[in-house]
Amino acid sequence: MRTHKIFNKVFCLLSIGLMLTLYTVANAAEKTTDGAYDGHPRIVILVVIDQFRGDLLARYRDDLKAPNGFNLFLKRGAYFTDCYYKYANTKTAPGHTTIGTGAYTDGHGIASNEWWDLDRATDHPVSSVEDPRYRLVGTFDDLPVLPPPALPPTAPRIGASPRNELASTFGDEVRLATSGRSKLYGISLKDRAAILPAGATANAAYWIDQSTGRFLTSTYYMSQLPDWVTAFNKGPRAAQAMKEADAEGTTQFYDLVGRTAAANSYELDFAEDLIQNEKLGQNGMTDVLTVSLSANDILGHQMGPDSDSQKQMTISLDKQLNDFFSWLDTHVPGGLASTWVVLTADHGISPIPYQAANVGVPAANLDLNALADEINKKLSERYTPGNDTVWMMPLLELPYLSIDRRPFEKLHISEAEAEKAVADLLPAAIATLNGPPEPVEPVVLPGATPPEIKFSETRLKPQPHPVFIRTKTQLLAGDIPATEFGQLVAHSVTSNGGWYVMLELQAYQMEFLNGIQTTHFSPWSYDRHVPLGFFGAPFVPGLYRGVVEPVDIAATITSVLGVNRPSSAVGHVLTQMLRPETTGEQAK
Ligand SMILES: [Zn+2]
């Protein structure tokens, strides 16, 4: 009897404890309230513009007239003019991962879009999200067989997952705080930009099949597309985007439609379908959606940040965002008043080197294939005299020059020694390729008007100049200068990526690019500067100056939501823009 009573008491206490726990968990991101400041919006939407430098909104501000476009952040929200990534490998996959996780590469593990990992593949660099344990999911079977170069529908389609993302995202933390009842989705044209900012616990990430533009996912998330995605794919939307992009019937959707404004409205329409069909914001707790708009990057690499086509795309995006946010206002319960929106970019961009050189900046291109030939020659003379051996991996990209470990291993040469041998050869090899200095001439492309600039007759042509060389072994051992620059490098270190040497060139310099004009990869300000805007009840509208970082997004969102910050987050809470919280007592 007595035992029974004690059992009852314990059971009762346990029940109360359990109820309290459930109540607390539910409160963490639940209890959405329209318009009120209580840290519980119905939806948090993260909009990432792929390759959008932080100065561009200021440059085009007079042309941005839509009330709910960029002005949602510039006039009605909190906007930070000086947001800079504090790391050196400013590429798409690390950028999107940094935004989601609030950590840099040393915290989340993603250093590049792809890297050589000879344990995983010897015929191609593995991408940041490719994962042969999964398959892509789409309704390919009902598609007509496409002419080359498109893959036939029966081709094996390697799946994708966040396997290399070693930290949780703010979306993951919202899901954890609600025992998975909050919903989390990621959308982009690019797989990495859909998967990485959303995180491991996402209900789904959707990106496109590059040939057809149809939205796909991976068996990591599900074995079959939801009916609404199949309906979107079978509907007229892809054909309409092709028409808008002047590429009717194309089998190169990503390249030809992807570089136009039509791709942005295509993605935003898909986002609206997702919000409606997955009932985001109707859940009684906070849902999270990440949307990465890829078109700016695809066009920007081809035309450069200073082109008129980029300006026009920005003006189009202003109207497209206005349409999307106005749609949200009328289609999500509570409208924009119970929605938080964050705007940022995964990286900036360099001016096109010849255009910068024409203004007088020491900009230049380095031929990485010729550099690899020179290094291969010198290493062969040293290690395999009389035999030409290939020591560097193909498809080199800055800042990480990948080394083929196999010929070194045959000679029992360690990673540290191999990397040092390559690093030691780099300055002389670059000098050999440069040759003697010659007078500078403005570059005029065929058909273009010559620039107005006149250089002194004795001015010399800028040449590629290495400013920082470190082996992976040195980087992992912390052999990095204790300077501001060193901190950028330290934040970029990961053990991923086989054997390599990190090479940083002087600012405004880059490799010769294949088929595009400019790129982003460097520790320099133009690659690290991005917009940062917040719209929502807790954020006091205004223009905020002073340096902040994209890692502050996850730190701030999780703080105001009252959930844990992501597992490796290092950002600061942007307290300067937070509305003071009023307690019930103060209000009396
Ligand atoms: Zn890019």
Side-chain angles (χ1 to χ4, degrees), residues 488-549:
L488 301 178
V489 173
H491 283 162
S492 311
V493 174
T494 161
S495 55
N496 272 338
W499 297 8
Y500 65 77
V501 174
M502 185 181 208
L503 167 65
E504 297 292 359
L505 298 174
Q506 184 179 335
Y508 304 100
Q509 303 189 341
M510 62 183 65
E511 66 254 53
F512 272 113
L513 302 159
N514 199 1
I516 57 173
Q517 296 211 70
T518 185
T519 194
H520 48 85
F521 67 97
S522 82
W524 309 119
S525 302
Y526 50 78
D527 278 343
R528 296 191 291 112
H529 189 194
V530 290
L532 178 59
F534 291 81
F535 171 85
F539 314 122
V540 180
L543 212 58
Y544 294 82
R545 300 204 182 269
V547 175
V548 295
E549 302 172 43

Side-chain angles (χ1 to χ4, degrees), residues 63-322:
D63 297 297
L64 307 174
K65 299 203 165 65
N68 286 336
F70 288 112
N71 282 325
L72 192 76
F73 310 97
L74 292 167
K75 288 189 177 159
R76 299 179 61 192
Y79 188 78
F80 293 82
T81 51
D82 310 289
C83 183
Y84 287 84
Y85 281 89
K86 206 169 184 179
Y87 70 167
N89 43 304
T90 42
K91 296 209 173 194
T92 300
H96 281 88
T97 314
T98 296
I99 296 165
T101 62
Y104 287 115
T105 297
D106 57 337
H108 59 59
I110 309 274
S112 205
N113 293 339
E114 61 249 320
W115 52 83
W116 282 103
D117 181 343
L118 296 172
D119 293 330
R120 282 178 59 190
T122 53
D123 59 345
H124 69 283
V126 295
S127 99
S128 55
V129 292
E130 81 174 54
D131 192 340
R133 300 172 302 170
Y134 302 102
R135 285 272 175 263
L136 294 183
V137 178
T139 52
F140 300 106
D141 297 343
D142 65 310
L143 280 173
V145 176
L146 297 162
L151 282 170
T154 49
R157 291 169 179 271
I158 291 175
S161 81
R163 68 184 287 178
N164 299 304
E165 187 171 39
L166 305 180
S168 68
T169 63
F170 68 86
D172 288 333
E173 293 301 331
V174 172
R175 294 260 297 155
L176 280 167
T178 57
S179 305
R181 285 176 296 156
S182 285
K183 295 174 187 171
L184 171 62
Y185 289 91
I187 297 172
S188 177
L189 296 191
K190 304 180 181 181
D191 52 6
R192 54 187 179 269
I195 293 169
L196 297 170
T201 71
N203 299 78
Y206 295 108
W207 60 95
I208 64 157
D209 167 54
Q210 298 211 345
S211 306
T212 61
R214 287 179 163 220
F215 278 92
L216 313 169
T217 188
S218 161
T219 51
Y220 174 79
Y221 302 101
M222 62 188 81
S223 54
Q224 224 184 336
L225 285 180
D227 288 346
W228 71 264
V229 179
T230 305
F232 184 96
N233 284 339
K234 284 185 173 166
R237 200 54 190 84
Q240 187 192 328
M242 290 175 196
K243 197 172 174 195
E244 284 166 22
D246 234 357
E248 263 172 290
T250 182
T251 55
Q252 294 173 270
F253 188 97
Y254 181 86
D255 291 320
L256 300 184
V257 182
R259 70 177 180 205
T260 71
N264 285 334
S265 46
Y266 183 66
E267 277 193 68
L268 292 169
D269 278 6
F270 184 78
E272 289 177 8
D273 267 25
L274 187 152
I275 290 167
Q276 215 152 28
N277 287 286
E278 299 299 350
K279 299 188 167 47
L280 297 197
Q282 300 178 32
N283 200 5
M285 60 196 74
T286 303
D287 296 325
V288 178
L289 171 65
T290 70
V291 182
S292 169
L293 300 167
S294 314
N296 245 71
D297 185 65
I298 303 168
L299 180 74
H301 280 290
Q302 294 172 0
M303 306 306 290
D306 304 309
S307 62
D308 189 56
S309 52
Q310 273 292 43
K311 178 181 174 180
Q312 293 313 322
M313 186 177 271
T314 306
I315 294 169
S316 298
L317 184 54
D318 189 41
K319 297 186 188 109
Q320 292 161 328
L321 289 176
N322 183 73

Side-chain angles (χ1 to χ4, degrees), residues 394-414:
L395 307 171
L396 291 183
E397 268 189 12
L398 292 174
Y400 302 112
L401 302 180
S402 296
I403 297 167
D404 191 341
R405 67 170 200 228
R406 293 166 295 188
F408 286 104
E409 282 175 339
K410 266 192 206 151
L411 299 171
H412 306 290
I413 294 168
S414 70

